[in-house]
Amino acid sequence: MQQIAIFASGAGSNAQKIIEYFKGHNRIKVALVVCNKPGAGVISIAERSAIPVLLIEKEKFFRSNVYTNALKDRGINFIVLAGFLWKIPATLIQAFPGKIINIHPALLPNYGGKGMYGEIVHEAVIANKEKESGITIHYVDEQYDHGDIIFQARCDIIESDTAHTLAQKIHQLEHKHYPGVVEEVVIKSTKIE
Ligand code: GRF
């Protein structure tokens, strides 16, 4: 059984879709939710599905191996970022080579990088009068929103779209595609081990 940890800081709607998708799956289990924000929506989502939650602290995350060790001790094989806003430290990336993926709410390499998250992304896309936007699922490396791209899906932007309506379209795309892409990537990663 491949054991996934989902890292999320926010509402957790993507985490929820992923949790639902893998319920009863014969090869992949969501074994842990890692969160850096007490009270975040994702915590109650995990609790409702009886998935353990690891609440992490900044100092320990960036300056020690405590959490890398905790993930290894729990038998975690793969990390899925779903709205996790801290940069992943090099030590954690090295401990899970090719086994950390992220979803970004725009078509990378555009509209990514430090500070580009949530509504800020959609506001920038609308301000630039783009005709389309989309989602990018990519491997995580040591730069924000930078690793190899695994999957993209697109949506049209119409004149009446606002950052808010675009955010809704993007969330729909994320919910539709992220769980299945996670499944493919995790299964592929076990074949190259
Ligand atoms: C998503 O739009 C994702 O692309 C971004 O953060 C958002 C998380 O939303 N990285 P939710 O918490 O899954 O609802």
Side-chain angles (χ1 to χ4, degrees):
M1 189 61 90
Q2 291 298 302
Q3 304 218 84
I4 301 180
I6 300 176
F7 282 38
S9 317
S13 68
N14 280 284
Q16 178 154 30
K17 292 288 172 192
I18 295 167
I19 289 168
E20 282 164 12
Y21 188 89
F22 290 110
K23 265 187 193 149
H25 198 283
N26 59 355
R27 295 182 67 181
I28 298 170
K29 177 182 175 184
V30 178
L32 184 67
V33 166
V34 174
C35 180
N36 64 304
K37 261 209 191 131
V42 70
I43 295 174
S44 40
I45 289 171
E47 285 170 353
R48 277 203 295 278
S49 294
I51 294 169
V53 175
L54 177 64
L55 203 52
I56 59 172
E57 291 164 23
K58 201 164 201 169
E59 184 71 19
K60 283 189 201 160
F61 187 66
F62 288 107
R63 297 192 195 283
S64 81
N65 283 330
V66 171
Y67 299 126
T68 301
N69 296 339
L71 293 165
K72 292 284 182 189
D73 288 347
R74 286 166 183 262
I76 298 299
N77 314 99
F78 206 95
I79 296 174
V80 174
L81 310 185
F84 185 71
L85 296 181
W86 289 349
K87 197 167 174 194
I88 302 299
T91 48
L92 187 51
I93 295 173
Q94 284 149 16
F96 288 88
K99 290 176 180 236
I100 310 180
I101 64 172
N102 181 43
I103 190 162
H104 185 76
L107 296 170
L108 293 175
N110 297 327
Y111 302 102
K114 194 171 176 4
M116 273 303 216
Y117 61 88
E119 293 275 307
I120 297 168
V121 175
H122 307 309
E123 274 157 18
V125 169
I126 295 285
N128 283 345
K129 303 200 183 313
E130 297 287 357
K131 296 275 176 284
E132 62 171 16
S133 187
I135 61 168
T136 304
I137 298 168
H138 64 94
Y139 288 105
V140 171
D141 67 8
E142 288 166 35
Q143 295 174 45
Y144 273 111
D145 302 324
H146 179 265
D148 288 349
I149 291 174
I150 301 164
F151 175 90
Q152 291 187 310
R154 292 160 193 275
C155 62
D156 290 332
I157 299 175
I158 54 172
E159 226 167 300
S160 58
D161 270 324
T162 61
H164 182 71
T165 60
L166 178 57
Q168 289 174 330
K169 288 185 185 177
I170 295 288
H171 253 119
Q172 275 175 15
L173 277 184
E174 293 183 330
H175 297 164
K176 179 171 172 205
H177 295 290
Y178 205 13
V181 173
V182 169
E183 182 180 34
E184 270 175 37
V185 174
V186 171
I187 288 175
K188 198 171 109 197
S189 82
T190 64
K191 292 189 181 136
I192 33 187
E193 253 171 5

